[in-house]
Amino acid sequence: MRLRQLAVAAGLVGVLCVPAHAEDRARADDRDISRDTLPANDGWASAGEGTTGGAAADADHVHTVTDRAELVRALDGASDTPKIIRIAGTIDANTDDDGDRLDCSDYATGGYSLKKYLAAYDPRTWGTAKPSGPQEEARQASAARQAERVVLPVGSNTTIIGLGDSAVLKGASLQVRNADNVIIRNLDIRDAYDCFPVWQPNTGGLGDWKTAYDTIWLAGATHVWVDHVTLSDKGHPDAKEPTHFARNYLRHDGLLDITNGSDLVTVSWSRFAGHDKAMLIGNGDTATGDRGKLRVTLHHNQFESVVQRAPRVRFGQVHLYNNRYEITGDDYRYSLGVSTESRIYAQNNAFHAPGHVEVADLVKSWNGSALHQSGTLFNGFPVDLLMIYNAYNSGSERDLTGDVGWTPALHGRIDIAAEADRAVARGAGAGRIP
C-alpha cells in the first residue's frame, strides 16, 4: 500500500510533504520509502548482507502510529520480527497510556525533590563520596519511573520512518541494544530530557552532573542505517539550565552514541544541532573488546552549534567524509576527538567557525595516535588539519601520524568539500529525502 493511501486511511494526509510540482507529487505518491534499503557500498552498514531493516515485513507488521501507546505496541517488545513503523505527526514519549502529558513531578516518588537532593549532596558538607541514602534512593526510583515511559527499545529487522516532512518524536530515547539490521529515517527526534540527573562528585576533578538518555543509543548493535534524521535538544536546551554545585545542570546525554561493540553503522544526511556532546563512538579506554568493531561511516551530515564529540572515537575505524560543521558559541571545545586506538579517516569536510576558533581547535586528542585527513576546508580555505594540529599542540599533546592503517572501500562518490558543503546545507535532516 502506498504512503498516501495509508495516510488517507489514517486521516493523516495533512502531515505528508506536498511537492511543488505535479510531476514531483506523483513521484512522491508512488514511492514507498518505508521499504527502502541501504544502497550497496553506502558505508560500513552495507558490508556483508547489507542493511534492509523491516523491508521484508508482511502487511500485518506495517504500522502507522500517532501516539506513544501505538508506537510501543508496534515496537513489539523489541522483537526480531520484520516490521515497519511509520510515525505520523508528533509523538511525545512523556505521556501516559491515555495520551495525557507527564512532567517531572509526575515521575517523582519516595519524597524526592531537587531542593532536598541539592541540600543532601552539597560538596561543602557531603564531600566527594558517591551519593547514597534516602534522597539518592528516591532519585533512582523516580528515574526508573521516567525510564519506563521514555526508553523505547528497538529490535532487529526494524524500520522506523517519519511520514512526510514533519514527523517528530520528542522526549524519547531510542535504544538499539544487541539488535541487528535496523533503519531509522526521516524523523525529527528531540529533547531526550532527563528529569533526574545524578551528581557525580569525582567526575573531571570538580564533579559533574550525569544524565541518562541518549536520543539514539546503539549498544551492541550491528548493521544500522541512520539517515535524514534531525537530532537536537529542542524544547529544553541545556544552555538555559541553571548551575548547581558550580556545574551546568545537564539534562541531555549524547545525540547519537555508538558503543558496547556496535559495528557496521552508516549515518548519512542527518543534522545534529544545538547540543553539547553530540556523538560518542566507543565508551571506554579499557573496552578492548571493541577492537575490530565500531566500524562507522559518517557522510553528508551537518553538525550545527555542537560543542564537542562530532564525533569522539575510541578503537573504531570511522570514515568521515563530506560533512558540514557550523560552529557557534563561546563554549565550543572541539569537533574531532581522537582517543585510544581510534582510526579516523576524514575526507573533504567543511568547517565554518567564528573568529575565536582556530583550525588547531578542531581536533582534540586523548591517547590518540593517528588521524588521516585530506581535502579539509576551513571558512572556505583549504587547510592541512593534521599539520596545523601538530604544530599548535606539540607541547601539550603528542603528535598524530597520518597513517591510520586502513583505507575506506565502502562509500559512494566523495565530492570536493565545497560542493558537499552546499549540498548538505540544502539536504541534511528530517523531511529532506529526495
Side-chain angles (χ1 to χ4, degrees), residues 30-250:
D30 288 341
R31 181 181 171 208
D32 182 357
I33 62 174
S34 67
R35 290 194 184 268
D36 283 358
T37 61
L38 178 66
N41 297 313
D42 193 345
W44 275 116
S46 66
E49 297 181 357
T51 301
T52 60
D58 60 29
D60 290 337
H61 293 93
V62 177
H63 311 276
T64 298
V65 300
T66 61
D67 60 27
R68 180 194 174 277
E70 292 176 346
L71 175 57
V72 169
R73 285 195 294 272
L75 287 167
D76 190 27
S79 76
D80 293 345
T81 304
K83 64 188 77 67
I84 294 172
I85 303 171
R86 298 161 168 165
I87 293 180
T90 297
I91 292 179
D92 189 344
N94 285 290
T95 51
D96 64 18
D97 290 340
D98 294 324
D100 294 327
R101 181 82 169 89
L102 299 173
D103 61 25
C104 294
S105 63
D106 294 309
Y107 298 123
T109 188
Y112 173 86
S113 77
L114 178 59
K115 183 177 180 180
K116 292 178 181 178
Y117 190 88
L118 295 174
Y121 306 115
D122 188 326
R124 294 172 296 182
T125 54
W126 178 261
T128 59
K130 183 179 178 180
S132 62
Q135 272 301 301
E136 173 57 15
E137 292 168 3
R139 187 204 64 78
Q140 292 179 19
S142 302
R145 294 183 68 184
Q146 185 184 19
E148 290 177 357
R149 309 308 299 178
V150 304
V151 172
L152 301 179
V154 180
S156 299
N157 309 312
T158 299
T159 292
I160 301 175
I161 190 162
L163 284 178
D165 61 357
S166 57
V168 176
L169 178 59
K170 60 186 292 189
S173 176
L174 286 179
Q175 299 191 0
V176 186
R177 305 183 66 175
N178 302 315
D180 177 69
N181 194 31
V182 172
I183 295 173
I184 303 172
R185 300 184 76 203
N186 198 44
L187 191 57
D188 182 341
I189 313 176
R190 63 178 69 159
D191 194 21
Y193 185 86
D194 187 352
C195 288
F196 308 102
V198 60
W199 174 244
Q200 296 186 325
N202 293 312
T203 300
L206 299 175
D208 211 347
W209 294 97
K210 172 67 175 176
T211 54
Y213 309 120
D214 299 319
T215 310
I216 300 177
W217 182 28
L218 310 184
T222 53
H223 285 106
V224 179
W225 181 28
V226 178
D227 177 69
H228 280 94
V229 301
T230 297
L231 302 173
S232 73
D233 299 343
K234 188 173 182 179
H236 292 97
D238 279 337
K240 293 187 177 181
E241 293 291 335
T243 58
H244 295 305
F245 306 153
R247 306 296 286 170
N248 185 215
Y249 191 54
L250 296 174

